[in-house]
Amino acid sequence: MPMDILLLLKELEGTFDTDGWWPAETPFEVMVGAILTQQSVWEKVAQVMDVLKGRGLMDVEPIAECDLPVLEDILRPSGFYRQKAFRVRYLARHLQERYASDPLLMLSGDLEKVRNELLSLPGVGNETADAMLLFAGNRPKFVAAAYVSRIFDRVGIYRSEGYLDLQRFIETGLPPDPVTYRSLYAHCVHLCKTMCRAKPRCDDCPLAPDCSYGLRR
DNA sequence: ACCCAGGTGGCCC
DNA sequence: GGGCCACATGGG
């Protein structure tokens, strides 16, 4: 029984509320979070971002002008704190110098051009760039994260040969709609975290019994 | 003690 | 273009 993307999405939608999946008050906060969450857990990201906010640093100019050691000290709990401090500040300085400190000014341009510009920033690879486009800019770019790859693989929809390959497969199989992209992405990640990883068996998973994620990745 | 986490970049072949 | 590795802290 072959499963396609739309069927999977229909299967997943409504299984949990994706509203507020990427909590943030501003596009800049999303962009910072996209860097901080790399190889980390959201609880730690939220924790350090609270500190940033408490110190009035959660904005382009304050970050751009912040001393590295200060930033490093705040970011420590989220891991890779030295690189992340440099990269977050680099991003802020880029926005300040080129876009009058307005993230949406940058994110609203030609989709592929913006994407390439994001990729040129230190610490911004495919997934981070796409997360910024989708969740900060509300642009139709799918975030083809490892979780998504695992779900698509295990359910038998598609075995991808890499990030861009999976992204292309999904983007050509769905309408270019940010809401749809966000929903599929959030459901895949949520599914892996709550069902596949948390339990030895996936009996309560909406994908059971077809999904064999429990066999490990 | 081990494994994982909402990746990226640099180096090697 | 793929396969390793460092990057770092914190929680299960």
Side-chain angles (χ1 to χ4, degrees), chain A residues 35-139:
Chain A
I35 290 175
L36 296 185
T37 196
Q38 292 167 7
Q39 208 61 23
S40 185
V41 293
W42 188 259
E43 289 67 36
K44 289 294 159 193
V45 176
Q47 178 188 322
V48 306
M49 292 216 290
D50 278 347
V51 177
L52 287 173
K53 288 181 195 174
R55 299 211 197 168
L57 286 172
M58 187 50 86
D59 222 326
V60 175
E61 315 216 334
I63 294 273
E65 289 153 21
C66 187
D67 286 333
L68 228 34
V70 174
L71 212 43
E72 289 176 353
D73 192 51
I74 296 171
L75 300 187
R76 181 166 291 117
S78 72
F80 298 149
Y81 61 94
R82 273 186 278 254
Q83 328 183 14
K84 285 177 180 175
F86 176 83
R87 291 165 176 184
V88 162
R89 195 179 70 167
Y90 193 103
L91 169 68
R93 290 184 169 182
H94 185 83
L95 290 168
Q96 183 181 47
E97 290 164 14
R98 305 228 193 179
Y99 296 96
S101 301
D102 181 2
L104 289 184
L105 207 53
M106 175 179 186
L107 296 172
S108 299
D110 175 82
L111 190 53
E112 291 308 315
K113 282 186 179 170
V114 177
R115 191 172 190 279
N116 285 328
E117 185 176 341
L118 288 169
L119 290 176
S120 77
L121 302 173
V124 180
N126 284 319
E127 185 168 339
T128 304
D130 294 334
M132 289 174 175
L133 285 165
L134 183 59
F135 290 100
N138 201 32
R139 305 297 300 274

Side-chain angles (χ1 to χ4, degrees), chain A residues 148-163:
Chain A
V148 181
S149 176
R150 288 174 210 166
I151 294 292
F152 273 60
D153 183 7
R154 298 307 177 188
V155 178
I157 299 182
Y158 188 66
R159 180 181 291 268
S160 83
E161 296 172 18
Y163 184 94

Side-chain angles (χ1 to χ4, degrees), chain A residues 5 7 11-12 17 19 24 26-28 54 57 85 87 89 105 127 137 154 160 164 171 176-177 189 198 207 212:
Chain A
I5 307 177
L7 192 58
E11 201 66 32
L12 294 179
D17 186 12
D19 200 44
T26 65
F28 180 65
L57 286 172
R87 291 165 176 184
R89 195 179 70 167
L105 207 53
E127 185 168 339
R154 298 307 177 188
S160 83
L164 293 175
E171 288 189 354
D177 168 35
V189 178
L207 265 35
S212 54

Side-chain angles (χ1 to χ4, degrees), chain A residues 146-198:
Chain A
Y147 284 133
V148 181
S149 176
R150 288 174 210 166
I151 294 292
F152 273 60
D153 183 7
R154 298 307 177 188
V155 178
I157 299 182
Y158 188 66
R159 180 181 291 268
S160 83
E161 296 172 18
Y163 184 94
L164 293 175
D165 179 50
L166 179 61
Q167 182 181 58
R168 182 184 40 71
F169 176 80
I170 293 175
E171 288 189 354
T172 53
L174 288 176
D177 168 35
V179 175
T180 305
Y181 287 178
R182 289 181 187 218
S183 176
L184 180 59
Y185 168 77
H187 276 101
C188 285
V189 178
H190 179 261
L191 195 54
C192 280
K193 288 169 72 168
T194 60
M195 311 308 270
C196 307
R197 194 192 307 159

